[in-house]
Amino acid sequence: MKRLGPTLRRMAIVAMVIALAGSMFGFRTLYKHVSAFEIEEHYNPVWIVNQIEFEVLRFDDALRAFRLGEVTADDVRLRFDILWSRTGVVSSGRVKDVILSYPSIVSAVKTLKEELKIEDPVLQSLRDGDIATAERLGVRFARIRDEIHRLTLEVLDLKTRSDAAARDHFEMFTFWTRLLALGTTASLIAFVIFAWNSAERARRHADEQERLLIRARAASDAKSQFTSVVNHELRTPLTSIKGGLGLILGGACGALPEKAERVARIAYENCERLGLIINDLLDLEKLEAGEMKFDFQRTSAPRILASVMQSNDEFANLHGITLRLDKVAEDAEIYADSSRMEQVLTNIVSNAIKFSARGKEVRLGVSQCRGQVEFTVADDGCGIPEGAVDSVFDMFTQVDSTSKRAKGGTGLGLGIARSITEKHGGAITLESRLGEGTTFRVTLPAYSSEPAHDLALAETAGATPA
Amino acid sequence: MKIRHLFAALALFILPVAGHAQAILTVSGNAADGATVSIDYTADDLRALPRQTILTNNNFVDEASSFTGPSMRDLLGDIVIERDSEVLLTALNDYSVVMPGAHILDYNVIAAHDINGVAMTVRDKGPLWVIYPMDDHEELQQPRYNNYLVWQLRSIEVK
């Protein structure tokens, strides 16, 4: 019973409620019966009839004593009154309710009352020494005494039978009460099991979460360690290799044979590429961790563009590409980290150079329109297939996976560029025609004198405005 | 002869005829100094005591009735009663029951001589009926308390 369905649980709860309600009803009924039984025991019909018979006998005895001159007429009248009161007791209150189920008692009491009423005037006029009247009364009450005695026996028999019936009744109730108690206990056990089960599941869930948390922390630690390794253990020796190769190529070790120089240059270029890849990886890690810092400044957009042109000039020459400045809005200003924006644009420009055929040109421009500053980088390169336009910004993606090897790069560049642009509150879009060329547009909000705008931007990027 | 003595005793409790003030209730027990005390009350004596009226139901009446009579505490006079005293109540027909002294101390138990303003006769559970204020106390509504409602009360003996 590892996991019980909610339906089953609901059914168990309903069963428990029914069993409990049943038990309560059963106990209540039982209590009522016990009370009724107690009352009947208390005002036992046998006892009631015995009391009447007892008083009849005592009255009879008083008449006998009167005849013998032992008691007075007043003594006889007192006995008569006490007997009379007996008939009154059985005709009122709870005793009356009890004897209602014994018609023979009701009828006998009625007869006795009538007899007493008839003889009442005789008793009231009884004088001391009136033996004849006493004898007549004696005969009459001897008959009543016999009838009451017969009634006693009859009631005793009835009572015995009703006791047996009551016992059967009690046995039945006991059976049902036991059954309900058993049902309640079973439901209770089921409920405890459910509760235990659910607590156990909650505990397991908490354990699992804790385990995942520990793993997540470990992963985060590992990543930090990786960053540190990349930063210090890879980049530092790479810088030294690149420096050494640069010196060799610069002729610090004397003129190199042509073959050696070619090999050294290839090695140098590869060092440079490796450096760029490492930078990309570190940027990516920083962006993901939200740790990339931005130094926001009020900056001239054309100046950023000029700087990008300058830094890519040599690379363009190498690929036989001409960089041309198109329309330039001279007074366009943005609020940005200029070195990061240069990184974004350089990435796009270098891509344009890489994917253009020798002899073609890459056109750069900056314009301002409705509070937006837009950088454009257009080439006449191979273009991007329509279906792949959306995926160029994904990390580790290059449209043609073979081009990754031919053109170099990690495939991280555009993803990083987009993230940096978004941190500036901007966006990168592109238009491309396969075989005709591609135009990238980097749109940023124009610099505003309203401080609220800049502050919000700085908060988005996680840096303090300068 | 035994029966003769019984009737001689019974004769004492017959309702008083004009001019013959006879005792209908005997109360006995010990005073604070340990002396035995026995008080005989006639019907007139009882009616001269402060009256209490209780409106209550019990197992022997069809509906709540108004009972009037002296309180048991007043009937005891100088007789000392403790919570654990045993109070023997005896009726004309020799029915008797032992009432705990605590009942007299805790509740306003009375010896009623009137029901609904009418004097009770021997034929109607009189001349005295021990009444508990059952309707005023929930615990007194348990069936066993009906055992103490002695009618035709003849004597009270505090032990």
Side-chain angles (χ1 to χ4, degrees), chain A residues 42-43 55 58 61-62 70-71 74-75 78-81 84-86 89 92-94 96 120 124, chain B residues 1 3-4 6-7 10-11 14 59-62 92-94 122-125 143 146-147 151-152:
Chain A
H42 202 85
Y43 308 111
E55 292 303 339
R58 289 184 87 173
D61 199 40
E70 290 170 354
V71 297
D74 282 342
D75 297 333
L78 177 63
R79 275 292 145 211
F80 185 80
D81 284 351
W84 186 296
S85 77
R86 256 309 136 196
V89 170
S92 58
R94 301 295 274 272
K96 180 182 71 182
D120 189 28
Q124 295 313 319
Chain B
M1 207 170 170
I3 191 89
R4 200 177 175 86
L6 176 71
F7 279 104
L10 275 177
I14 297 170
N59 278 353
F60 308 105
V61 288
D62 291 331
L92 284 179
N93 69 343
D94 300 324
V122 173
R123 290 186 182 188
D124 189 25
K125 305 188 185 74
N146 283 282
N147 292 348
W151 56 76
Q152 294 165 345

Side-chain angles (χ1 to χ4, degrees), chain A residues 36-37 81 182 427:
Chain A
F37 192 71
D81 284 351
L182 207 69

Side-chain angles (χ1 to χ4, degrees), chain A residues 8 15 37 44 98 108 203-204 272 303-304 356 364 385 447:
Chain A
L8 204 61
F37 192 71
N44 190 324
V98 171
R203 194 186 59 76
R204 275 205 300 270
E272 213 160 40
R303 205 154 62 212
I304 290 178
S356 291
L364 284 79
Y447 174 77

Side-chain angles (χ1 to χ4, degrees), chain A residues 95-289:
Chain A
V95 186
K96 180 182 71 182
D97 299 341
V98 171
I99 66 160
L100 273 179
S101 46
Y102 295 89
S104 51
I105 302 181
V106 177
S107 134
V109 168
K110 199 179 158 209
T111 312
L112 180 62
K113 268 185 178 174
E114 281 163 5
E115 296 279 355
L116 293 178
K117 258 184 205 162
I118 292 167
E119 299 303 336
D120 189 28
V122 180
L123 260 295
Q124 295 313 319
S125 59
L126 184 70
R127 300 260 176 271
D128 286 340
D130 185 354
I131 308 292
T133 307
E135 270 179 356
R136 195 188 60 75
L137 284 170
V139 172
R140 195 168 172 83
F141 275 88
R143 195 166 49 77
I144 293 173
R145 188 190 63 204
D146 290 346
E147 270 176 34
I148 297 287
H149 184 65
R150 195 176 42 74
L151 177 70
T152 308
L153 296 176
E154 186 190 327
V155 169
L156 196 64
D157 181 48
L158 281 173
K159 177 72 177 127
T160 309
R161 269 187 266 170
S162 99
D163 281 356
R167 253 199 309 280
D168 289 349
H169 217 71
F170 269 111
E171 270 168 22
M172 193 191 76
F173 266 109
T174 311
F175 170 76
W176 281 106
T177 310
R178 269 190 203 152
L179 200 71
L180 285 166
L182 207 69
T184 313
T185 311
S187 310
L188 204 67
I189 290 170
F191 194 75
V192 168
I193 289 170
F194 282 139
W196 183 82
N197 198 262
S198 124
E200 184 66 15
R201 233 178 307 135
R203 194 186 59 76
R204 275 205 300 270
H205 189 69
D207 285 356
E208 176 72 14
Q209 276 190 329
E210 201 183 324
R211 209 168 52 79
L212 287 174
L213 193 69
I214 290 167
R215 271 176 61 182
R217 277 200 195 121
S220 169
D221 289 351
K223 202 171 162 189
S224 300
Q225 211 174 354
F226 167 76
T227 312
S228 157
V229 167
V230 169
N231 209 3
H232 299 288
E233 311 301 326
L234 273 179
R235 200 153 66 164
T236 312
L238 188 67
T239 309
S240 120
I241 295 166
K242 195 178 147 192
L245 286 167
L247 284 172
I248 292 166
L249 284 168
C253 305
L256 291 173
E258 197 187 327
K259 247 183 179 174
E261 194 191 330
R262 209 169 62 236
V263 172
R265 187 160 298 282
I266 290 169
Y268 180 80
E269 281 171 6
N270 277 303
C271 277
E272 213 160 40
R273 247 173 63 196
L274 195 57
L276 288 174
I277 289 169
I278 290 167
N279 283 346
D280 273 2
L281 284 171
L282 287 171
D283 280 352
L284 173 70
E285 205 282 324
K286 276 188 203 163
L287 274 168
E288 281 189 348

Side-chain angles (χ1 to χ4, degrees), chain A residues 414-429:
Chain A
L414 278 176
I416 292 168
R418 185 169 67 171
S419 290
I420 291 172
T421 309
E422 281 169 357
K423 294 283 184 196
H424 280 74
I428 302 181
T429 56

